[in-house]
Amino acid sequence: MVATYIEAIRQGLWEEMERDPNVFLIGEDIGVYGGAFKVTAGFHEKFGDRRVVDTPISEAAIAGAAIGASLMGLRPVAEMQFADFITCAFDQIVNFAAKCRYRWGAAVPIVIRAPSGGGVHGGPFHSQNPEMWFVRTPGLKVVAPATAYDAKGLIKSAIRDNDPVLFFEHKGLYRRIKEELPAEEYCVPIGKARVAREGRDLSIITYGAMVWTALSAAEQLAAEGIEAEVIDLRTLLPLDREAVCSSVKKTSKALLLHEDTRTGGMAGELAVTITESVFDYLDGPVVRVTAPDTPVPFSQTLEEAFLPNAGHVVEKARWLHRY
Amino acid sequence: MSATETISTIEGAGAAFAHQSLRFTLLMREIEDRIERKLYRQGKILGGVYVGRGQEAISVGATLMAEPGDMLYPSHRDMAAFLVRGVSPGRIFAQYMGRAAGLTRGRDGNMHMGDMNLRIGAIISALAATVPVAAGSALAMKYLGMPNVTICWFGEGSTSLGHWHEGMNFASVQKLPVVWICNNNQYAYSTPMSAQMACVNVADRGAAYGIPAEIVDGNDVFAVSAAAKRAIDHARAGNGPYLLECKTFRMTGHSAHDNADYVPPALFDEWSKLDPITRLESRMIAEKWASREEIDGIHAAIVKEVDEAVQWAENCPFPDPATLLEDVYESE
Ligand SMILES: Cc1ncc(C[n+]2csc(CCOP(=O)(O)OP(=O)(O)O)c2C)c(N)n1
Ligand SMILES: [Mg+2]
């Protein structure tokens, strides 16, 4: 059956709730209303108040309650209405959930779903990519699927995982992409990248919505005879360093791409990973294409200038190819 | 003669106040109707649109009672705070259309705007995060010996956040000159009051922080202004914070994309009979402060003013992408 990205997340949640009675949903307006983006539309009807918990506007309570319930053996899936408001739950996630296992051996099997990303004229508070706030917190897992297939497979793995998982779903992909999903059940393992496109000349390493930007750049480059490989990280923490390095070993050139802002972005970690492990294979500098170091602007002219696009990637890739 | 100057002399009553109130409630209504029902649907507005239809008396009544030096932190349903302080409708349209002439120069949209020259703070989108900030502005007023107060608005749903409770408690412990105004429109997105809190009134929460609290008819601009005056006087006299819960109703969906099918239609019917503008006009006619013809003339003038403002905004340029990197920090 063909499913959009948002439908794939719904399916994953639905199947896990049917499979395991301890899985439940918690968040704002997720019940009868079905959530701000309608990810959970129909869930309340099927699973009822007990398993679809509508909360007051209280992100700290949502995250904290999810943690507390998970300590008792439940498997909560919490929704942030927008990833941006995860700031209100920061302490619970970073100071408590992330450190429970290490401090006192307690498992915190929670999932926090966070609709993130720009390109929707959301402005500074409804467009951010806050993944790196969490990627630098040991004890958390951070997932950012790019495809419908991975969105479904990864939400299922996230729910089954015995550690806290942050699930960044890109708002811009919800209804923009679709694909045929297998009829039979499947999971996608956390911590494994995938080759989204094979190529020999350079590696574009990215995640989330930027995978599509990379693929469209790769197509343009192919028309010029440059074969780019596209690596979709899928999970940011733990990072699949092996997949990154083996692609760079093959192509000898790395272009890192993310929608998140530049300083302290994923590209920094990837660059060091590459130079530490496969420096001798490199035939050029490791380069990056990212959003600039500004808040996400609202107006279309500014946001267009802010977001990385295929044109930027093609230009940088040509330069790197010639190097 | 500024709005605020006139009003503080007549203390919330009389023809002049009524006329001021009518102008600003009507202007807010017309601007928001135009944004939500026309420009948004025409694709000329970027991003989300949240309007305060039916709630206009709250921002109008309270802002008219404030002194120009008082600091305001309006919520996303309090547009009139900007109008009373003199922001032109054209700049508001420019803001919603993402134009360079908007208050945030295209950096942010809709009611996410502010201007320190006018002493209006821009919303922090994370609800209630503005509450401790308002406490801080009040702290500065006390610290600097200013004769001013801070007014901070929020919805009833926002009182569920930790920020809200921290800000209330802090302001009370420090006896800060701040007036808290809750727009209790009975819904927070799709969530009704009953699923938001287990107490019946937001005002009930005042006692927990030792803050005097009042329940106010939020659809009566006279009631709002009289209560705001009491609250402001209390805070200005150094007696600490004061909480007003203005009961009202959100006469729309949460935002322009939300049809509010979860709200029982009877509630809309019931509250439409309590429309603050209709009530204000009836009172004006009854008190002989204005005739129906005069009021109709005011309506027509406002429609014309808004027509011109829309046109002005549509002719304003979008921000130059070359300015993208400016103003993250102070420039040399
Ligand atoms: C911390 C946080 N969580 C969620 C949201 C999304 N959101 C925006 S407005 C809103 C409802 C607000 O309700 P209320 O405070 O009653 O104000 P109203 O919109 O009814 O005026 C929600 C949930 C947000 N802005 N901030
Ligand atoms: Mg409300």
Side-chain angles (χ1 to χ4, degrees), chain A residues 29 56-58 126 298-301, chain B residues 46 98 106 160 190-191 196 319:
Chain A
D29 305 290
I57 309 171
S58 307
H126 293 78
F298 169 76
S299 187
Q300 56 215 34
T301 50
Chain B
L46 302 177
S160 294
S190 77
T191 306
Q196 193 68 244

Side-chain angles (χ1 to χ4, degrees), chain B residues 38-324:
Chain B
K38 201 152 188 187
L39 299 167
Y40 178 79
R41 293 178 191 170
Q42 292 172 345
K44 290 177 179 166
I45 301 287
L46 302 177
V49 166
Y50 316 86
V51 301
R53 187 180 304 116
Q55 306 180 203
E56 296 90 344
I58 305 170
S59 51
V60 170
T63 308
L64 285 175
M65 291 299 113
E67 297 291 339
D70 293 340
M71 181 73 196
L72 310 180
Y73 288 98
S75 86
H76 52 292
R77 311 224 188 252
D78 299 311
M79 180 183 283
F82 290 87
L83 300 171
V84 173
R85 286 266 161 111
V87 176
S88 73
R91 290 197 68 203
I92 292 179
F93 285 114
Q95 164 80 6
Y96 277 73
M97 294 177 184
R99 308 299 167 114
L103 273 75
T104 61
R105 301 155 355 274
R107 269 64 184 295
D108 207 339
N110 55 54
M111 281 290 292
H112 292 130
M113 57 184 176
D115 184 346
M116 276 313 293
N117 294 317
L118 301 174
R119 293 257 166 103
I120 306 184
I123 293 170
I124 307 164
S125 192
L127 294 161
T130 315
V131 169
V133 175
S137 294
L139 179 117
M141 288 166 172
K142 190 174 162 189
Y143 184 105
L144 297 169
M146 293 163 68
N148 293 108
V149 304
T150 297
I151 303 179
C152 178
W153 285 261
F154 41 79
E156 84 294 343
S158 303
T159 71
S160 294
L161 282 130
H163 307 296
W164 189 85
H165 296 266
E166 294 183 27
M168 295 298 275
N169 184 54
F170 175 68
S172 190
V173 164
Q174 295 277 336
K175 270 203 159 184
L176 301 176
V178 56
V179 174
W180 309 114
I181 302 183
C182 177
N183 303 322
N184 184 351
N185 61 9
Q186 305 182 46
Y187 277 86
Y189 210 150
S190 77
T191 306
M193 238 326 245
S194 58
Q196 193 68 244
M197 64 194 78
C199 50
V200 181
N201 305 297
V202 170
D204 299 345
R205 299 189 157 179
Y209 301 107
I211 297 177
E214 265 185 60
I215 294 173
V216 183
D217 177 349
N219 284 24
D220 176 357
V221 73
F222 298 97
V224 172
S225 64
K229 177 92 177 55
R230 277 193 295 281
I232 290 170
D233 287 349
H234 173 95
R236 216 187 291 286
N239 298 318
Y242 203 99
L243 169 63
L244 300 178
E245 176 185 7
C246 297
K247 302 274 194 193
T248 184
F249 198 73
R250 194 189 71 198
M251 295 301 292
T252 62
H254 166 66
S255 61
H257 75 266
D258 170 27
N259 65 10
D261 54 7
Y262 48 84
V263 177
L267 281 176
F268 285 124
D269 294 344
E270 190 184 307
W271 281 89
S272 69
K273 295 188 192 109
L274 298 171
D275 182 76
I277 296 179
T278 314
R279 283 170 74 189
L280 169 59
E281 291 177 350
S282 306
R283 169 103 186 254
M284 290 175 79
I285 291 167
E287 302 265 10
K288 302 218 178 350
W289 290 334
S291 65
R292 185 69 250 177
E293 294 67 46
E294 216 179 315
I295 289 174
D296 289 344
I298 295 170
H299 276 254
I302 283 193
V303 170
K304 183 158 172 284
E305 183 179 350
V306 169
D307 285 344
E308 286 165 7
V310 171
Q311 214 164 36
W312 180 82
E314 286 197 74
N315 288 326
C316 287
F318 283 101
D320 180 350
T323 63
L324 173 65

